[in-house]
Amino acid sequence: MSLEPMDRDAARARLRSLAEQGLIDPANLDAQLAALDAGDTSALVMAQQGYALAGYREDDPLVISAGWSNQSRDGNWVVPPYLDVQAKAANVRLNFLQAQASAPLIQVEISGAMGNVKLIVPDGWAVNADRLRGGMGSAKIRVPNQPAPGCPVLLLRGSLAMGNLKVRYGTRGELRRSQRALRGSAALSERALARQQRRLDRRG
């Protein structure tokens, strides 16, 4: 996610409006504006959404916790810079094949208790597990630790207790399904743009 000049101007106005409405702390407005000028993605997200999304600050990660039921992320989703993956008594599966990385470095805190963690990444993405502590569980990482140009790296931290970690590229079947979904999404976007253009033509 980039901060273009027009985006920044609109975001500044939006943050001021949110402060006037009491939706964000007015005392924190100057700090948010300064963060926006410094290119802080979380400030832009707050301006766009009206509140802070989880995962854009180190002290406020996106938590994906599998207690007694499995948890997964699939399809087209935005990966924030900070993830907290907790495989307590069930499994966590994160499919990044259609995901959009919001930063070149994604920090992933892993807590593997009795559940397993599976990460499926696109070609070019990398995973660094140098800071991941082992336990009774095993870690199988079948992707490089250096990304291809323009691709992100997942930096894994934390520890494995009794659970296992598996990191791999997508299978042929998963890649085919991902490509079909992307084509379908592109077709929907084109139809939406066409409808919008027809509405504008009627107004003109």
Side-chain angles (χ1 to χ4, degrees):
M1 184 181 295
S2 61
L3 288 174
E4 300 295 337
M6 286 186 64
D7 294 333
R8 185 177 288 110
D9 292 341
R12 288 176 68 86
R14 173 67 171 158
L15 287 172
R16 289 196 178 94
S17 174
L18 292 170
E20 291 171 358
Q21 298 173 55
L23 297 176
I24 63 173
D25 185 358
N28 191 34
L29 177 60
D30 289 341
Q32 291 295 333
L33 292 174
L36 185 69
D37 290 338
D40 188 334
T41 307
S42 64
L44 177 60
V45 171
M46 178 177 286
Q48 292 174 332
Q49 303 292 333
Y51 57 89
L53 294 178
Y56 288 85
R57 291 203 325 265
E58 189 171 4
D59 60 350
D60 184 26
L62 172 62
V63 177
I64 303 173
S65 180
W68 296 106
S69 59
N70 296 335
Q71 297 293 320
S72 65
R73 289 291 188 279
D74 241 315
N76 187 356
W77 62 293
V78 177
V79 186
Y82 301 100
L83 299 177
D84 184 0
V85 177
Q86 303 172 5
K88 297 177 179 178
N91 305 321
V92 175
R93 178 181 180 274
L94 302 183
N95 183 346
F96 299 96
L97 294 181
Q98 297 178 50
Q100 304 169 50
S102 62
L105 176 65
I106 308 295
Q107 300 194 41
V108 185
E109 185 76 21
I110 291 181
S111 175
M114 293 185 293
N116 301 316
V117 176
K118 180 182 291 185
L119 309 178
I120 305 170
V121 301
D123 187 35
W125 286 37
V127 172
N128 185 304
D130 292 346
R131 296 170 179 82
L132 183 66
R133 299 184 300 277
M136 296 178 65
S138 64
K140 295 181 179 179
I141 301 175
R142 298 173 177 172
V143 302
N145 61 7
Q146 293 295 322
C151 294
V153 57
L154 303 179
L155 178 62
L156 308 186
R157 301 176 182 271
S159 62
L160 298 172
M162 299 174 65
N164 300 317
L165 169 69
K166 180 180 288 187
V167 184
R168 61 172 175 81
Y169 290 128
T171 64
R172 290 182 180 179
E174 289 169 339
L175 292 172
R176 282 197 296 269
R177 288 192 293 273
S178 175
Q179 290 166 358
R180 283 199 298 268
L182 288 172
R183 286 196 295 268
S185 177
L188 286 173
S189 297
E190 290 177 2
R191 287 198 290 270
L193 288 172
R195 286 195 298 270
Q196 183 179 11
Q197 186 60 51
R198 286 196 294 271
R199 286 196 297 268
L200 292 173
D201 292 342
R202 286 197 295 270
R203 291 176 186 173

